[in-house]
Amino acid sequence: GEYQTAKQPKTVYIHPSSVLSKEDNPPPWLVFFELAFTSKEFMRQVAPIEPGWLIEIAPHFYQESDVEDKKRKKLPKSRGR
């Protein structure tokens, strides 16, 4: 799947070795540990999350506007749409 980072919009992709890269409907929100720079910027060590969790865990960094329903703004994009 193709995603946009929340704070500094950048297009990133799930690494092909991830189980989530093979999902027909990848999760709308992910957290990642590492970005691998090859032909694209790939997220490695990803896990699905609820966007509101970011505000709960790091209210000093994330605001409501960072995690609003970005699907209506075409972010993140899912494969096949």
Side-chain angles (χ1 to χ4, degrees):
E2 181 176 296
Y3 291 84
Q4 290 285 334
T5 56
K7 286 301 270 186
Q8 298 164 348
K10 177 187 296 194
T11 301
V12 293
Y13 301 85
I14 299 173
H15 194 275
S17 67
S18 171
V19 169
L20 292 177
S21 72
K22 291 144 186 72
E23 292 283 320
D24 288 334
N25 294 311
W29 284 83
L30 296 172
V31 64
F32 63 89
F33 177 72
E34 172 182 35
L35 280 177
F37 300 96
T38 58
S39 60
K40 298 179 182 177
E41 292 188 55
F42 288 106
M43 298 178 287
R44 295 183 58 180
Q45 299 173 343
V46 296
I49 63 165
E50 294 294 325
W53 295 352
L54 296 173
I55 298 169
E56 289 179 34
I57 292 172
H60 57 283
F61 191 71
Y62 292 101
Q63 274 73 65
E64 195 72 37
S65 61
D66 295 324
V67 298
E68 65 190 5
D69 187 3
K70 299 209 183 255
K71 283 191 284 187
R72 295 178 191 198
K73 295 183 176 182
K74 302 193 303 188
L75 302 173
K77 298 177 191 172
S78 294
R79 216 177 345 175
R81 287 190 183 177

Coordinates of all heavy atoms in Angstrom, one line a residue:
G1 N 0.8 -1.2 0.0 CA 0.0 0.0 0.0 C 0.9 1.3 0.0 O 2.0 1.2 0.4
E2 N 0.3 2.3 -0.4 CA 0.9 3.6 -0.4 C 0.3 4.5 0.7 O -0.9 4.5 0.9 CB 0.6 4.3 -1.8 CG 1.3 5.6 -1.9 CD 1.1 6.2 -3.3 OE1 1.5 5.6 -4.3 OE2 0.4 7.2 -3.4
Y3 N 1.2 5.1 1.5 CA 0.8 5.9 2.6 C 1.4 7.3 2.6 O 2.4 7.5 1.9 CB 1.1 5.2 3.9 CG 0.4 3.9 4.2 CD1 0.8 2.7 3.6 CD2 -0.8 3.9 5.0 CE1 0.0 1.6 3.8 CE2 -1.5 2.8 5.2 CZ -1.1 1.6 4.6 OH -1.8 0.5 4.8
Q4 N 0.9 8.2 3.4 CA 1.5 9.5 3.6 C 1.8 9.6 5.1 O 1.0 9.2 5.9 CB 0.5 10.6 3.2 CG 0.3 10.8 1.8 CD 1.4 11.4 1.0 OE1 2.2 12.2 1.6 NE2 1.6 11.1 -0.2
T5 N 3.0 10.1 5.4 CA 3.3 10.3 6.8 C 2.4 11.4 7.4 O 2.0 12.3 6.7 CB 4.8 10.6 7.0 OG1 5.1 11.7 6.2 CG2 5.6 9.4 6.6
A6 N 2.2 11.4 8.7 CA 1.2 12.3 9.3 C 1.8 13.7 9.5 O 1.1 14.7 9.2 CB 0.8 11.7 10.7
K7 N 3.0 13.9 10.0 CA 3.5 15.2 10.4 C 4.1 15.9 9.2 O 3.8 17.1 9.0 CB 4.5 15.1 11.5 CG 3.9 14.8 12.8 CD 2.9 15.9 13.3 CE 3.5 17.0 14.0 NZ 2.6 17.9 14.6
Q8 N 4.9 15.3 8.5 CA 5.6 15.9 7.3 C 5.3 15.1 6.1 O 6.0 14.1 5.9 CB 7.1 16.0 7.6 CG 7.5 16.8 8.8 CD 8.9 16.6 9.3 OE1 9.5 15.6 8.9 NE2 9.3 17.4 10.1
P9 N 4.2 15.4 5.4 CA 3.7 14.5 4.3 C 4.8 14.1 3.4 O 5.5 14.8 2.7 CB 2.7 15.4 3.6 CG 2.2 16.4 4.7 CD 3.4 16.6 5.5
K10 N 5.0 12.8 3.4 CA 5.9 12.1 2.5 C 5.3 10.8 2.1 O 4.7 10.1 2.9 CB 7.2 11.8 3.3 CG 8.3 11.1 2.6 CD 9.4 10.7 3.5 CE 10.1 12.0 4.0 NZ 11.4 11.7 4.7
T11 N 5.4 10.4 0.9 CA 4.8 9.1 0.4 C 5.8 8.0 0.8 O 7.0 8.0 0.5 CB 4.6 9.1 -1.1 OG1 3.7 10.2 -1.4 CG2 4.0 7.8 -1.6
V12 N 5.2 7.0 1.5 CA 6.0 5.8 1.9 C 5.2 4.6 1.6 O 4.0 4.7 1.4 CB 6.3 5.9 3.4 CG1 7.3 7.0 3.7 CG2 5.1 6.0 4.2
Y13 N 5.9 3.5 1.5 CA 5.2 2.2 1.1 C 5.6 1.1 2.1 O 6.6 1.1 2.8 CB 5.8 1.7 -0.3 CG 5.5 2.8 -1.3 CD1 6.4 3.8 -1.5 CD2 4.4 2.7 -2.1 CE1 6.1 4.8 -2.5 CE2 4.1 3.6 -3.1 CZ 5.0 4.7 -3.3 OH 4.7 5.6 -4.3
I14 N 4.7 0.1 2.2 CA 4.9 -1.0 3.1 C 6.0 -1.9 2.4 O 5.9 -2.1 1.2 CB 3.6 -1.9 3.3 CG1 2.6 -1.0 4.0 CG2 4.0 -3.1 4.1 CD1 1.2 -1.7 4.1
H15 N 7.0 -2.3 3.1 CA 8.1 -3.1 2.6 C 7.5 -4.4 2.0 O 6.6 -5.0 2.7 CB 9.1 -3.3 3.6 CG 10.4 -3.9 3.0 ND1 10.6 -5.2 2.8 CD2 11.5 -3.2 2.6 CE1 11.8 -5.4 2.2 NE2 12.4 -4.2 2.2
P16 N 8.0 -4.8 0.8 CA 7.4 -6.1 0.2 C 7.6 -7.3 1.1 O 6.8 -8.3 0.9 CB 8.2 -6.2 -1.1 CG 8.9 -4.9 -1.3 CD 8.9 -4.2 0.0
S17 N 8.5 -7.3 2.0 CA 8.7 -8.5 2.9 C 7.7 -8.5 4.0 O 7.5 -9.6 4.7 CB 10.1 -8.5 3.5 OG 10.3 -7.4 4.4
S18 N 6.9 -7.5 4.2 CA 5.9 -7.4 5.3 C 4.7 -8.2 4.9 O 4.2 -8.2 3.7 CB 5.5 -6.0 5.6 OG 4.4 -5.9 6.4
V19 N 4.1 -8.9 5.8 CA 2.8 -9.6 5.6 C 1.7 -8.6 5.2 O 0.9 -8.9 4.4 CB 2.4 -10.4 6.9 CG1 1.0 -10.9 6.9 CG2 3.4 -11.5 7.2
L20 N 1.8 -7.4 5.7 CA 0.8 -6.4 5.4 C 0.8 -6.0 4.0 O -0.2 -5.5 3.4 CB 0.9 -5.2 6.4 CG 0.5 -5.5 7.8 CD1 0.8 -4.2 8.7 CD2 -0.9 -6.0 8.0
S21 N 2.0 -6.1 3.3 CA 2.1 -5.7 1.9 C 1.2 -6.6 1.0 O 0.9 -6.3 -0.1 CB 3.5 -5.7 1.4 OG 4.0 -7.0 1.3
K22 N 0.9 -7.8 1.5 CA 0.1 -8.7 0.7 C -1.4 -8.7 0.9 O -2.2 -9.4 0.3 CB 0.6 -10.2 0.9 CG 2.0 -10.3 0.3 CD 2.9 -11.2 1.2 CE 4.3 -11.3 0.8 NZ 5.1 -10.2 1.0
E23 N -1.8 -7.8 1.9 CA -3.2 -7.7 2.2 C -4.0 -7.0 1.0 O -3.5 -6.1 0.4 CB -3.4 -6.8 3.4 CG -2.9 -7.4 4.7 CD -3.8 -8.4 5.3 OE1 -5.0 -8.2 5.2 OE2 -3.3 -9.4 5.8
D24 N -5.2 -7.5 0.8 CA -6.1 -6.9 -0.2 C -6.6 -5.5 0.2 O -6.7 -4.6 -0.6 CB -7.3 -7.8 -0.6 CG -6.8 -9.0 -1.4 OD1 -5.8 -9.0 -2.1 OD2 -7.5 -10.0 -1.3
N25 N -6.8 -5.4 1.5 CA -7.3 -4.2 2.1 C -6.3 -3.8 3.3 O -6.6 -4.2 4.4 CB -8.7 -4.3 2.7 CG -9.7 -4.5 1.6 OD1 -9.7 -3.8 0.6 ND2 -10.5 -5.5 1.7
P26 N -5.2 -3.2 2.9 CA -4.3 -2.9 4.0 C -4.9 -1.9 5.0 O -5.8 -1.1 4.7 CB -3.1 -2.2 3.3 CG -3.6 -1.9 1.9 CD -4.8 -2.7 1.6
P27 N -4.4 -1.9 6.3 CA -4.9 -1.0 7.3 C -4.7 0.4 6.9 O -3.7 0.8 6.3 CB -4.1 -1.4 8.5 CG -3.1 -2.4 8.1 CD -3.3 -2.7 6.7
P28 N -5.7 1.3 7.2 CA -5.6 2.7 6.9 C -4.5 3.5 7.6 O -3.9 4.4 7.1 CB -6.9 3.3 7.2 CG -7.6 2.3 8.1 CD -7.0 1.0 7.9
W29 N -4.1 3.0 8.8 CA -3.1 3.7 9.6 C -2.1 2.7 10.1 O -2.4 1.6 10.6 CB -3.7 4.4 10.8 CG -4.4 5.7 10.5 CD1 -5.7 5.8 10.0 CD2 -3.8 7.0 10.5 NE1 -5.9 7.1 9.8 CE2 -4.9 7.9 10.1 CE3 -2.6 7.5 10.9 CZ2 -4.6 9.2 10.0 CZ3 -2.4 8.9 10.9 CH2 -3.4 9.7 10.4
L30 N -0.8 3.0 10.0 CA 0.3 2.2 10.4 C 1.3 3.0 11.2 O 1.4 4.2 11.0 CB 1.1 1.6 9.3 CG 0.3 0.6 8.3 CD1 1.2 0.3 7.1 CD2 -0.1 -0.6 9.1
V31 N 2.0 2.4 12.1 CA 3.2 3.0 12.7 C 4.3 2.1 12.3 O 4.2 0.9 12.1 CB 3.0 3.0 14.3 CG1 3.0 1.6 14.9 CG2 4.1 3.8 14.9
F32 N 5.5 2.8 12.0 CA 6.7 2.0 11.6 C 7.9 2.4 12.4 O 7.9 3.5 13.0 CB 6.9 2.3 10.1 CG 7.3 3.7 9.7 CD1 8.6 4.1 9.7 CD2 6.2 4.6 9.4 CE1 8.9 5.4 9.4 CE2 6.5 5.9 9.1 CZ 7.8 6.3 9.1
F33 N 8.8 1.5 12.4 CA 10.0 1.7 13.2 C 11.2 2.2 12.3 O 12.0 3.0 12.8 CB 10.5 0.3 13.8 CG 11.8 0.4 14.5 CD1 11.8 1.1 15.8 CD2 12.9 -0.1 14.0 CE1 13.0 1.2 16.4 CE2 14.1 0.0 14.7 CZ 14.2 0.6 15.9
E34 N 11.2 1.8 11.0 CA 12.3 2.1 10.2 C 11.9 2.4 8.8 O 10.9 1.8 8.3 CB 13.2 0.9 10.2 CG 14.4 0.9 9.3 CD 15.2 -0.4 9.4 OE1 14.6 -1.5 9.6 OE2 16.4 -0.3 9.3
L35 N 12.5 3.3 8.1 CA 12.4 3.6 6.7 C 13.6 3.0 5.9 O 14.7 3.4 6.3 CB 12.2 5.1 6.3 CG 10.9 5.7 6.6 CD1 10.9 7.2 6.3 CD2 9.8 5.0 5.8
A36 N 13.4 2.2 4.9 CA 14.5 1.7 4.1 C 14.4 2.5 2.8 O 13.4 2.5 2.1 CB 14.3 0.2 3.9
F37 N 15.5 3.1 2.4 CA 15.5 3.9 1.2 C 16.2 3.1 0.1 O 17.3 2.8 0.1 CB 16.4 5.2 1.4 CG 15.9 6.1 2.4 CD1 16.3 6.0 3.7 CD2 14.9 7.0 2.1 CE1 15.8 6.9 4.7 CE2 14.4 7.9 3.1 CZ 14.8 7.8 4.4
T38 N 15.3 2.7 -0.9 CA 15.8 2.0 -2.1 C 15.2 2.7 -3.3 O 15.4 3.9 -3.4 CB 15.4 0.5 -2.1 OG1 14.0 0.4 -2.0 CG2 16.0 -0.2 -0.9
S39 N 14.5 2.0 -4.1 CA 13.8 2.7 -5.3 C 12.7 3.5 -4.8 O 12.3 4.5 -5.4 CB 13.3 1.6 -6.3 OG 12.4 0.8 -5.6
K40 N 12.1 3.2 -3.6 CA 11.1 4.0 -2.9 C 11.4 4.0 -1.4 O 12.4 3.3 -1.0 CB 9.7 3.2 -3.1 CG 9.2 3.1 -4.5 CD 7.9 2.4 -4.5 CE 7.4 2.2 -5.8 NZ 6.1 1.4 -5.9
E41 N 10.7 4.8 -0.7 CA 10.9 4.8 0.8 C 9.9 3.7 1.4 O 8.7 3.9 1.3 CB 10.6 6.1 1.4 CG 11.6 7.1 1.0 CD 11.5 8.5 1.7 OE1 11.5 8.4 2.9 OE2 11.3 9.5 1.0
F42 N 10.5 2.6 1.9 CA 9.7 1.5 2.4 C 9.7 1.5 3.9 O 10.8 1.7 4.6 CB 10.3 0.2 1.9 CG 10.0 -0.1 0.5 CD1 11.1 0.0 -0.4 CD2 8.8 -0.5 0.0 CE1 10.9 -0.3 -1.8 CE2 8.6 -0.7 -1.3 CZ 9.6 -0.7 -2.2
M43 N 8.5 1.4 4.5 CA 8.4 1.2 5.9 C 8.7 -0.2 6.3 O 8.2 -1.1 5.7 CB 6.9 1.5 6.4 CG 6.5 2.9 6.1 SD 4.7 3.2 6.6 CE 3.9 2.2 5.3
R44 N 9.5 -0.4 7.3 CA 9.8 -1.7 7.9 C 9.3 -1.8 9.3 O 9.3 -0.8 10.0 CB 11.3 -2.0 7.7 CG 11.7 -2.1 6.3 CD 13.1 -2.4 6.1 NE 13.4 -3.7 6.7 CZ 14.6 -4.3 6.7 NH1 15.6 -3.7 6.1 NH2 14.8 -5.4 7.2
Q45 N 9.0 -3.0 9.7 CA 8.5 -3.2 11.1 C 7.3 -2.4 11.4 O 7.3 -1.5 12.2 CB 9.6 -3.0 12.1 CG 10.8 -3.9 11.9 CD 12.0 -3.6 12.8 OE1 12.1 -2.5 13.3 NE2 12.9 -4.5 12.9
V46 N 6.2 -2.7 10.6 CA 5.0 -1.9 10.7 C 3.9 -2.6 11.5 O 4.0 -3.8 11.7 CB 4.4 -1.6 9.3 CG1 5.3 -0.7 8.5 CG2 4.1 -2.9 8.6
A47 N 3.0 -1.8 12.1 CA 1.9 -2.4 12.9 C 0.7 -1.5 12.7 O 0.9 -0.2 12.6 CB 2.3 -2.4 14.4
P48 N -0.5 -2.0 12.5 CA -1.7 -1.2 12.4 C -2.0 -0.5 13.7 O -1.8 -1.1 14.8 CB -2.7 -2.2 12.0 CG -2.2 -3.6 12.4 CD -0.7 -3.5 12.4
I49 N -2.5 0.7 13.6 CA -2.9 1.4 14.8 C -4.2 2.2 14.5 O -4.7 2.3 13.4 CB -1.9 2.5 15.2 CG1 -1.7 3.5 14.1 CG2 -0.6 1.8 15.6 CD1 -0.9 4.8 14.6
E50 N -4.8 2.7 15.6 CA -5.9 3.6 15.5 C -5.3 5.0 15.5 O -4.4 5.3 16.4 CB -6.9 3.5 16.6 CG -7.6 2.1 16.6 CD -8.6 2.0 15.4 OE1 -9.1 3.0 15.0 OE2 -8.7 0.9 14.9
P51 N -5.7 6.0 14.7 CA -5.1 7.3 14.7 C -5.2 8.0 16.0 O -4.3 8.8 16.3 CB -5.8 8.0 13.5 CG -7.0 7.2 13.2 CD -6.8 5.8 13.7
G52 N -6.3 7.8 16.7 CA -6.4 8.5 18.0 C -5.3 8.1 19.0 O -5.1 8.9 20.0
W53 N -4.8 7.0 18.9 CA -3.7 6.5 19.8 C -2.5 7.5 19.7 O -1.8 7.6 20.8 CB -3.2 5.1 19.4 CG -4.3 4.0 19.6 CD1 -5.5 4.2 20.1 CD2 -4.2 2.7 19.2 NE1 -6.2 3.0 20.1 CE2 -5.4 2.0 19.5 CE3 -3.2 2.0 18.6 CZ2 -5.6 0.7 19.2 CZ3 -3.4 0.6 18.3 CH2 -4.6 0.0 18.6
L54 N -2.2 8.1 18.6 CA -1.1 9.0 18.5 C -1.3 10.2 19.4 O -0.3 10.6 20.1 CB -0.9 9.5 17.1 CG -0.6 8.4 16.1 CD1 -0.6 9.0 14.6 CD2 0.8 7.8 16.4
I55 N -2.5 10.7 19.5 CA -2.8 11.8 20.4 C -2.7 11.4 21.9 O -2.2 12.1 22.7 CB -4.2 12.4 20.1 CG1 -4.2 12.9 18.7 CG2 -4.6 13.5 21.1 CD1 -5.6 13.3 18.2
E56 N -3.2 10.2 22.2 CA -3.1 9.7 23.5 C -1.7 9.5 24.0 O -1.3 9.9 25.1 CB -3.8 8.4 23.7 CG -5.3 8.5 23.6 CD -6.0 7.1 23.7 OE1 -5.5 6.2 24.4 OE2 -7.0 6.9 23.0
I57 N -0.8 9.0 23.1 CA 0.5 8.6 23.5 C 1.5 9.8 23.5 O 2.4 10.0 24.3 CB 1.1 7.5 22.6 CG1 0.3 6.2 22.9 CG2 2.6 7.3 22.8 CD1 0.6 5.1 22.0
A58 N 1.3 10.7 22.5 CA 2.2 11.9 22.3 C 1.4 13.1 22.1 O 1.5 13.7 21.0 CB 3.1 11.6 21.2
P59 N 0.6 13.6 23.0 CA -0.2 14.8 22.8 C 0.7 16.1 22.6 O 0.2 17.1 22.1 CB -1.0 14.9 24.1 CG -0.3 14.2 25.1 CD 0.4 13.1 24.4
H60 N 1.9 16.0 23.1 CA 2.8 17.1 22.9 C 3.3 17.2 21.4 O 3.8 18.3 21.0 CB 4.0 17.0 23.8 CG 4.8 15.7 23.6 ND1 4.3 14.5 24.1 CD2 5.9 15.4 22.9 CE1 5.1 13.5 23.7 NE2 6.1 14.0 23.0
F61 N 3.1 16.2 20.6 CA 3.6 16.1 19.2 C 2.4 16.1 18.2 O 2.5 16.8 17.2 CB 4.5 14.9 19.0 CG 5.2 14.9 17.7 CD1 6.2 15.8 17.5 CD2 4.9 14.0 16.7 CE1 6.9 15.8 16.3 CE2 5.5 14.0 15.5 CZ 6.5 14.9 15.3
Y62 N 1.4 15.3 18.5 CA 0.3 15.1 17.6 C -1.0 15.9 18.0 O -1.3 15.9 19.2 CB -0.1 13.7 17.4 CG 0.9 12.9 16.7 CD1 1.8 12.0 17.4 CD2 1.1 12.9 15.3 CE1 2.7 11.3 16.7 CE2 2.0 12.2 14.7 CZ 2.9 11.4 15.4 OH 3.8 10.7 14.7
Q63 N -1.6 16.6 17.1 CA -2.9 17.3 17.3 C -4.0 16.6 16.6 O -3.7 15.8 15.7 CB -2.8 18.7 16.9 CG -2.2 19.7 17.9 CD -0.7 19.5 18.1 OE1 0.0 19.7 17.1 NE2 -0.3 19.0 19.2
E64 N -5.2 16.9 16.9 CA -6.4 16.3 16.3 C -6.3 16.5 14.7 O -6.6 15.6 14.0 CB -7.6 17.0 16.8 CG -8.9 16.3 16.5 CD -9.1 15.0 17.3 OE1 -8.7 14.9 18.4 OE2 -9.6 14.0 16.6
S65 N -5.8 17.7 14.3 CA -5.7 17.9 12.9 C -4.7 17.0 12.1 O -4.9 16.7 10.9 CB -5.4 19.4 12.6 OG -4.1 19.7 13.1
D66 N -3.8 16.4 12.9 CA -2.8 15.5 12.3 C -3.4 14.2 12.0 O -3.0 13.5 11.1 CB -1.6 15.3 13.2 CG -0.8 16.5 13.5 OD1 -0.7 17.3 12.5 OD2 -0.3 16.7 14.6
V67 N -4.5 13.8 12.7 CA -5.0 12.5 12.6 C -6.5 12.5 12.2 O -7.1 11.4 12.3 CB -4.9 11.7 13.9 CG1 -3.4 11.5 14.3 CG2 -5.6 12.3 15.1
E68 N -7.0 13.6 11.7 CA -8.3 13.6 11.2 C -8.5 12.6 10.0 O -7.5 12.1 9.5 CB -8.8 15.0 10.8 CG -8.0 15.5 9.6 CD -8.3 17.0 9.3 OE1 -9.0 17.6 10.1 OE2 -7.7 17.5 8.3
D69 N -9.7 12.3 9.7 CA -9.9 11.2 8.6 C -9.3 11.7 7.3 O -9.9 12.4 6.5 CB -11.4 11.0 8.5 CG -11.7 9.8 7.6 OD1 -10.8 9.2 7.1 OD2 -12.9 9.6 7.3
K70 N -8.1 11.2 7.1 CA -7.4 11.6 5.9 C -7.9 10.9 4.7 O -7.5 11.2 3.6 CB -5.9 11.4 6.1 CG -5.4 12.2 7.2 CD -3.9 12.6 7.0 CE -3.4 13.4 8.2 NZ -3.3 14.8 8.0
K71 N -8.6 9.8 4.8 CA -9.2 9.1 3.7 C -10.0 10.0 2.8 O -10.0 9.9 1.6 CB -10.0 7.9 4.1 CG -9.2 6.7 4.5 CD -10.0 5.5 4.7 CE -10.8 5.6 6.0 NZ -11.6 4.4 6.3
R72 N -10.7 11.0 3.4 CA -11.5 11.9 2.7 C -10.6 12.9 1.9 O -11.1 13.6 1.1 CB -12.4 12.7 3.6 CG -13.4 11.7 4.2 CD -14.3 12.3 5.2 NE -15.1 11.3 5.8 CZ -16.2 11.4 6.5 NH1 -16.7 12.6 6.6 NH2 -16.8 10.4 7.1
K73 N -9.4 13.0 2.4 CA -8.4 13.9 1.7 C -7.5 13.0 0.8 O -6.4 13.4 0.4 CB -7.6 14.6 2.7 CG -8.4 15.6 3.5 CD -7.4 16.3 4.4 CE -8.2 17.4 5.2 NZ -7.4 18.1 6.1
K74 N -7.9 11.8 0.5 CA -7.2 10.9 -0.4 C -5.9 10.4 0.3 O -5.0 9.9 -0.4 CB -6.9 11.5 -1.7 CG -8.1 11.9 -2.5 CD -7.8 12.2 -3.9 CE -6.8 13.2 -4.1 NZ -6.6 13.7 -5.5
L75 N -5.8 10.4 1.6 CA -4.6 9.9 2.3 C -5.0 9.0 3.4 O -5.9 9.4 4.2 CB -3.8 11.0 2.8 CG -3.3 12.0 1.8 CD1 -2.6 13.2 2.6 CD2 -2.3 11.4 0.9
P76 N -4.5 7.9 3.7 CA -3.5 7.2 2.9 C -4.2 6.5 1.8 O -5.4 6.2 1.8 CB -2.9 6.2 3.9 CG -4.0 5.9 4.9 CD -4.7 7.2 5.0
K77 N -3.5 6.2 0.7 CA -4.1 5.5 -0.5 C -3.9 4.0 -0.3 O -2.9 3.6 0.1 CB -3.4 6.0 -1.7 CG -3.5 7.4 -2.0 CD -2.7 7.8 -3.2 CE -2.6 9.3 -3.4 NZ -1.7 9.6 -4.5
S78 N -5.0 3.3 -0.6 CA -4.9 1.9 -0.6 C -4.7 1.4 -2.0 O -5.1 2.0 -3.0 CB -6.2 1.3 -0.1 OG -6.3 1.6 1.3
R79 N -4.1 0.2 -2.1 CA -3.9 -0.4 -3.4 C -5.2 -0.7 -4.1 O -6.2 -1.1 -3.5 CB -3.2 -1.7 -3.2 CG -2.2 -2.1 -4.3 CD -1.5 -3.3 -4.0 NE -1.6 -3.8 -2.6 CZ -1.2 -4.9 -2.2 NH1 -0.5 -5.7 -2.9 NH2 -1.3 -5.3 -0.9
G80 N -5.3 -0.4 -5.4 CA -6.5 -0.8 -6.2 C -7.5 0.3 -6.2 O -8.6 0.1 -6.7
R81 N -7.3 1.4 -5.7 CA -8.3 2.5 -5.7 C -8.0 3.6 -6.7 O -6.9 3.8 -7.1 CB -8.4 3.2 -4.3 CG -9.1 2.3 -3.3 CD -9.4 3.1 -2.1 NE -10.0 2.1 -1.2 CZ -10.3 2.5 0.0 NH1 -10.2 3.7 0.5 NH2 -10.9 1.6 0.8

